[in-house]
Amino acid sequence: MEKEHQPLPTCDIMGVHIAVTDMEKTKALIARNLQTWRGRYICVANVHTTVTASRDAAYRAVQNGAVLALPDGGPLSQYSRRKGFSNAARVTGPDLMRELLQDSAKTPCRHFFYGSTPETLDLLRRKIETAYPGAVIAGMVSPPFRALTPEEDAAMVARINAAKPDLVWVGLGAPKQERWMADHQGAVQALMIGVGAAFDYEAGNIRRAPQWMQRCSLEWLYRLLQDPRRLLGRYLSTNLRFLWWTCRH
């Protein structure tokens, strides 16, 4: 059995063990541990998921059960730096997916995509075939927007494993995708990475915030302006709670 490489240090943020890392360290760690981590999962954490985990012990256990909980949200890496981890940087789900698709040209890797709609997956397939010619798409599935029966779930796992992927990108949205990965730990024989809206970003359905907004940790504001009806309540609840917590700590 391959030996797992030394894990990254973590910073405790509201009870969630957020990895202290950057994009290059993260990619290198995934490459070294890809075989060892088959059947396990990576969470991509932001303010919303972290505050949710602070309120829900079961979801916090899911986050902390991951081999990595990456700091997708800029405020998480900023907090880590204030706590003495000077090299902590943001690693977003869309950026990580794009980088590993790009790297597939020189390091063969089979990618499976689970989530979103058939229309988005069709757009995503065309984008990957055009922009990342070395990436191998092992499969794509848009699951029903309901709970699967045990028989349906077993068939879905069998379908994923039959495709022999190295990475399974899970785009079900938080907290559903993290719970799905934890529930399928050991059953899906690939490394699962929950990336939220990354399928929509890569397919071109949603525009990313300008770089200056990303650098200033304002990507949440850009998303809010795009979809205020769905996101306003979430951001008012979780962002304010996070600000209150960080002021106390």
Side-chain angles (χ1 to χ4, degrees), residues 13-235:
I13 304 180
M14 303 184 83
V16 181
H17 306 150
I18 301 297
V20 176
T21 187
D22 58 31
M23 181 61 74
E24 292 308 313
K25 288 178 185 174
T26 301
K27 291 198 307 177
L29 196 65
I30 290 173
R32 291 196 301 267
N33 286 296
L34 188 56
Q35 298 307 316
T36 308
W37 286 353
R38 284 186 178 275
R40 301 175 75 181
Y41 63 95
I42 290 174
C43 293
V44 179
N46 55 29
V47 168
H48 171 62
T49 63
T50 304
V51 171
T52 301
S54 75
R55 296 166 164 171
D56 183 335
Y59 185 57
R60 186 163 63 251
V62 166
Q63 289 277 339
N64 290 334
V67 292
L68 292 173
L70 297 173
D72 177 277
L76 302 185
S77 53
Q78 287 178 352
Y79 180 86
S80 295
R81 289 194 294 272
R82 290 199 298 271
K83 286 297 181 179
F85 297 102
S86 59
N87 295 324
R90 187 181 183 206
V91 181
T92 75
D95 289 339
L96 179 62
M97 191 175 84
R98 185 184 65 248
E99 293 258 351
L100 292 183
L101 284 169
Q102 288 175 338
D103 289 350
S104 293
K106 55 187 177 184
T107 306
C109 185
R110 295 175 59 82
H111 301 264
F112 197 102
F113 300 84
Y114 184 82
S116 197
T117 65
E119 294 77 17
T120 295
L121 292 180
D122 286 343
L123 290 171
L124 180 60
R125 179 184 292 277
R126 291 199 290 271
K127 171 66 179 296
I128 292 171
E129 290 173 347
T130 301
Y132 313 108
V136 177
I137 301 174
M140 290 181 160
V141 170
S142 172
F145 288 91
R146 57 169 175 79
L148 301 183
T149 67
E151 294 77 17
E152 289 174 325
D153 187 68
M156 192 68 74
V157 170
R159 178 176 176 179
I160 294 171
N161 290 338
K164 300 186 184 304
D166 298 299
L167 296 172
V168 175
W169 300 100
V170 184
L172 299 175
K176 183 178 179 180
Q177 65 193 13
E178 290 81 22
R179 290 180 172 135
W180 185 90
M181 293 188 297
D183 288 343
H184 292 82
Q185 183 167 222
V188 171
Q189 296 304 305
L191 175 61
M192 298 169 278
I193 307 179
V195 288
F199 294 7
D200 284 305
Y201 282 127
E202 197 63 38
N205 293 339
I206 303 175
R207 291 178 59 188
R208 287 291 298 275
Q211 284 295 324
W212 72 265
M213 294 189 79
Q214 294 185 43
R215 288 193 298 269
C216 295
S217 298
L218 291 174
E219 190 162 12
W220 66 271
L221 177 60
Y222 191 82
R223 288 206 64 196
L224 175 60
L225 294 173
Q226 289 180 308
D227 193 0
R229 181 175 299 180
R230 185 174 68 88
L231 297 176
L232 180 59
R234 174 200 293 186
Y235 285 160

